[in-house]
């Protein structure tokens, strides 16, 4: 195959959710590598909610991709050709690169996967950005102790399934929150959640209260919105919140959501009154200090069977736009990956 298919950003999201029309599949000639470079065959792409910032400016720290350039994200690949002294054909590498069949790299910010992985996809699920976020949330920002009650938002997603399993490995009672009863059932059987509540249940807040009879010590918040509202009244003294993300943002435009920002006042009142710690997660702040510990602990948890990464794999580069849209509509069950090539 001498051509290089790539997914470009064709337009900005129109209605917040990044739908498939934001992307277009194009074909270009296969790139050659020059001196000091290597060519990588992409094997797998990771669909992360954080990549939204590549499509739309949502923070002053993140520059969106220019229109008609290739979408980028965490990826796994095999070195196919190398004129770089540190890389040889056949080696597995992970990094952050364009959604395309082949990429040329100068080797910077590539990670050689020369340690044993039970499955190569674990590089993006168990050892990827979402899993690292889960680790930082529960080890650093909102540390959970044995016997405490931990509530995990988007519990069957990339970050959530790992956070749920880390909290179980620490001996906590873990209550998952997700978007459907089916996902809840799956979370209880596959992740060992002690309880799980769908935020689409009409009696959602009551059910969260019943599931967290002794209150909530740690909350891994990935959505804000009504999930946050249901959990705040249950927070114990000295509770900790890891503020990881705002998946409920797409609902801001709905009539039912309008005018509800007044709740932030009562939230801050509870933060003060109950001495609650809220820490925001930005994984890049922790790479230097905690990446090595993360790999060590994740190796141990996987070897002992305490963590079984939940993966949701779709096949074909052309499916990447749909696979990405899906995670903003809750259609993934586990870490959503796109398998490109063997
Ligand atoms: N700050 C950081 O450094 C950092 C790093 C990694 C991840 N994160 C955050 O962690 C969260 C999960 O990211 P991920 O990449 O692992 O994605 P993911 O959980 O695999 O997929 C996103 C999930 O969001 C949920 N969702 C979609 N619409 C929703 C809505 N309106 N309200 C509530 N939930 C909704 C869906 O699950 P349901 O079916 O349960 O709704 C979906 O599975 C995101 O908030 C992301 O920003 C932050």
């Amino acid at each position: 195959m001498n051509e290089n298919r790539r997914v470009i950003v064709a337009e900005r999201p129109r209605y917040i959710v990044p739908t498939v029309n934001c992307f277009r599949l194009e074909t270009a000639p296969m790139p050659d590598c020059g001196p000091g470079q290597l060519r990588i065959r992409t094997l797998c792409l990771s669909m992360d909610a954080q990549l939204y910032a590549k499509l739309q400016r949502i923070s002053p720290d993140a520059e969106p991709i220019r229109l008609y350039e290739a979408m980028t994200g965490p990826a796994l690949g095999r070195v196919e050709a190398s004129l770089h002294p540190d890389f040889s054909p056949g080696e597995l590498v992970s990094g952050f690169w364009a959604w395309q069949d082949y990429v040329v790299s100068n080797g910077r910010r590539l990670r050689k996967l020369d340690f044993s992985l039970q499955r190569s996809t674990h590089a993006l699920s168990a050892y990827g950005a979402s899993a690292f976020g889960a680790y930082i949330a529960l080890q650093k920002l909102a540390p959970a102790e044995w016997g405490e009650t931990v509530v995990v938002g988007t519990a069957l997603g990339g970050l959530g399934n790992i956070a749920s399993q880390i909290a179980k490995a620490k001996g906590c009672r873990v209550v998952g929150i997700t978007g459907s009863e089916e996902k809840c059932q799956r979370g209880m059987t596959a992740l060992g959640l002690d309880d799980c509540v769908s935020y689409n249940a009409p009696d959602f807040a009551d059910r969260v209260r019943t599931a967290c009879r002794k209150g909530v010590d740690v909350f891994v918040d990935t959505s804000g919105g009504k999930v946050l509202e249901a959990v705040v009244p249950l927070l114990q003294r000295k509770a900790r919140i890891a503020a990881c993300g705002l998946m409920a943002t797409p609902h801001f435009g709905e009539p039912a959501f309008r005018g509800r920002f007044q709740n932030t006042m009562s939230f801050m009142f509870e933060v003060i009154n109950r001495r609650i710690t809220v820490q925001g997660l930005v994984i890049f702040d922790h790479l230097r200090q905690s990446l090595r510990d993360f790999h060590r602990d994740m190796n141990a948890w996987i070897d002992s069977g305490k963590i079984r990464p939940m993966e949701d794999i779709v096949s074909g580069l052309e499916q990447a736009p749909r696979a990405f849209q899906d995670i903003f509509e809750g259609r993934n069950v586990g870490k959503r990956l796109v398998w490109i090539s063997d």
Side-chain angles (χ1 to χ4, degrees):
M1 190 164 114
N2 288 326
E3 54 183 36
N4 190 20
R5 294 172 310 150
R6 58 187 204 135
V7 175
I8 62 156
V9 178
E11 62 174 84
R12 307 282 172 215
R14 292 182 203 175
Y15 308 106
I16 303 186
V17 168
T19 48
V20 291
N21 56 283
C22 295
F23 304 98
R24 199 165 64 221
L25 191 69
E26 279 192 345
T27 306
M30 189 163 74
D32 280 329
C33 55
Q37 294 182 323
L38 59 147
R39 187 173 67 225
I40 302 166
R41 175 71 162 114
T42 305
L43 301 181
C44 192
L45 299 172
S46 174
M47 301 291 115
D48 293 23
Q50 291 292 98
L51 296 178
Y52 190 79
K54 296 279 167 201
L55 297 177
Q56 194 85 281
R57 184 180 295 282
I58 51 170
S59 132
D61 299 339
E63 194 62 34
I65 290 172
R66 280 199 298 231
L67 287 180
Y68 313 117
E69 289 191 353
M71 179 65 179
T72 56
L76 165 74
R78 193 179 299 285
V79 180
E80 209 195 46
S82 178
L83 295 173
H84 190 295
D86 299 337
F87 293 90
S88 308
E91 286 179 327
L92 273 185
V93 289
S94 66
F96 198 94
W97 64 73
W99 288 8
Q100 54 192 46
D101 288 316
Y102 300 94
V103 288
V104 166
S105 163
N106 57 12
R108 259 189 285 148
R109 302 217 183 100
L110 280 185
R111 181 153 178 261
K112 273 200 213 190
L113 301 172
D114 46 9
F115 53 95
S116 74
L117 284 172
Q118 283 183 7
R119 295 167 60 119
S120 58
T121 49
H122 282 184
L124 299 177
S125 58
Y127 297 90
S130 311
F132 184 55
Y135 179 82
I136 294 299
L138 284 172
Q139 298 289 82
K140 306 266 172 197
L141 307 185
E145 305 287 339
W146 188 92
E148 289 190 317
T149 297
V150 177
V151 173
V152 179
T154 57
L156 278 88
L159 184 147
N161 90 87
I162 299 292
S164 299
Q165 295 184 76
I166 292 176
K168 284 304 296 175
K170 284 168 156 252
C172 301
R173 173 177 165 77
V174 184
V175 176
I177 308 289
T178 185
S180 71
E181 301 297 341
E182 295 73 26
K183 279 190 173 183
C184 277
Q185 282 308 318
R186 182 83 190 276
M188 291 175 63
T189 49
L191 301 176
L193 295 175
D194 295 286
D195 210 335
C196 185
V197 186
S198 162
Y199 58 77
N200 284 315
D203 53 349
F204 170 61
D206 289 342
R207 288 178 55 185
V208 178
R209 192 175 309 111
T210 307
C212 305
R213 332 178 251 289
K214 294 187 187 158
V216 175
D217 301 293
V218 169
F219 177 33
V220 179
D221 183 20
T222 54
S223 65
K226 68 177 174 185
V227 180
L228 178 65
E229 284 177 14
V231 172
V232 166
L234 308 175
L235 293 170
Q236 296 276 45
R237 273 174 76 105
K238 304 213 170 162
R240 288 131 272 152
I241 300 178
C244 302
L246 289 165
M247 289 310 297
T249 307
H251 290 183
F252 279 2
E254 288 182 2
F257 212 94
R258 288 189 197 131
R260 293 176 75 183
F261 287 108
Q262 64 209 33
N263 290 335
T264 54
M265 295 295 282
S266 51
F267 171 59
M268 291 316 284
F269 176 78
E270 300 299 354
V271 166
I272 296 163
N273 200 29
R274 281 184 257 163
R275 289 79 157 167
I276 289 159
T277 303
V278 184
Q279 284 244 49
L281 170 72
V282 176
I283 50 171
F284 307 108
D285 296 349
H286 301 272
L287 286 171
R288 192 183 295 269
Q289 218 189 359
S290 301
L291 196 60
R292 196 187 294 261
D293 291 351
F294 165 60
H295 286 145
R296 182 203 57 217
D297 292 346
M298 188 55 76
N299 285 346
W301 282 322
I302 289 188
D303 286 349
S304 63
K306 286 188 171 148
I307 289 191
R308 292 195 183 87
M310 188 183 259
E311 297 177 339
D312 179 345
I313 304 178
V314 168
S315 284
L317 180 64
E318 67 287 356
Q319 297 300 330
R322 168 63 59 191
F324 188 57
Q325 177 177 342
D326 279 355
I327 67 171
F328 294 87
E329 295 176 335
R331 278 194 286 269
N332 59 314
V333 182
K335 175 75 226 168
R336 176 55 71 87
L337 303 172
V338 177
W339 190 256
I340 309 292
S341 159
D342 286 321

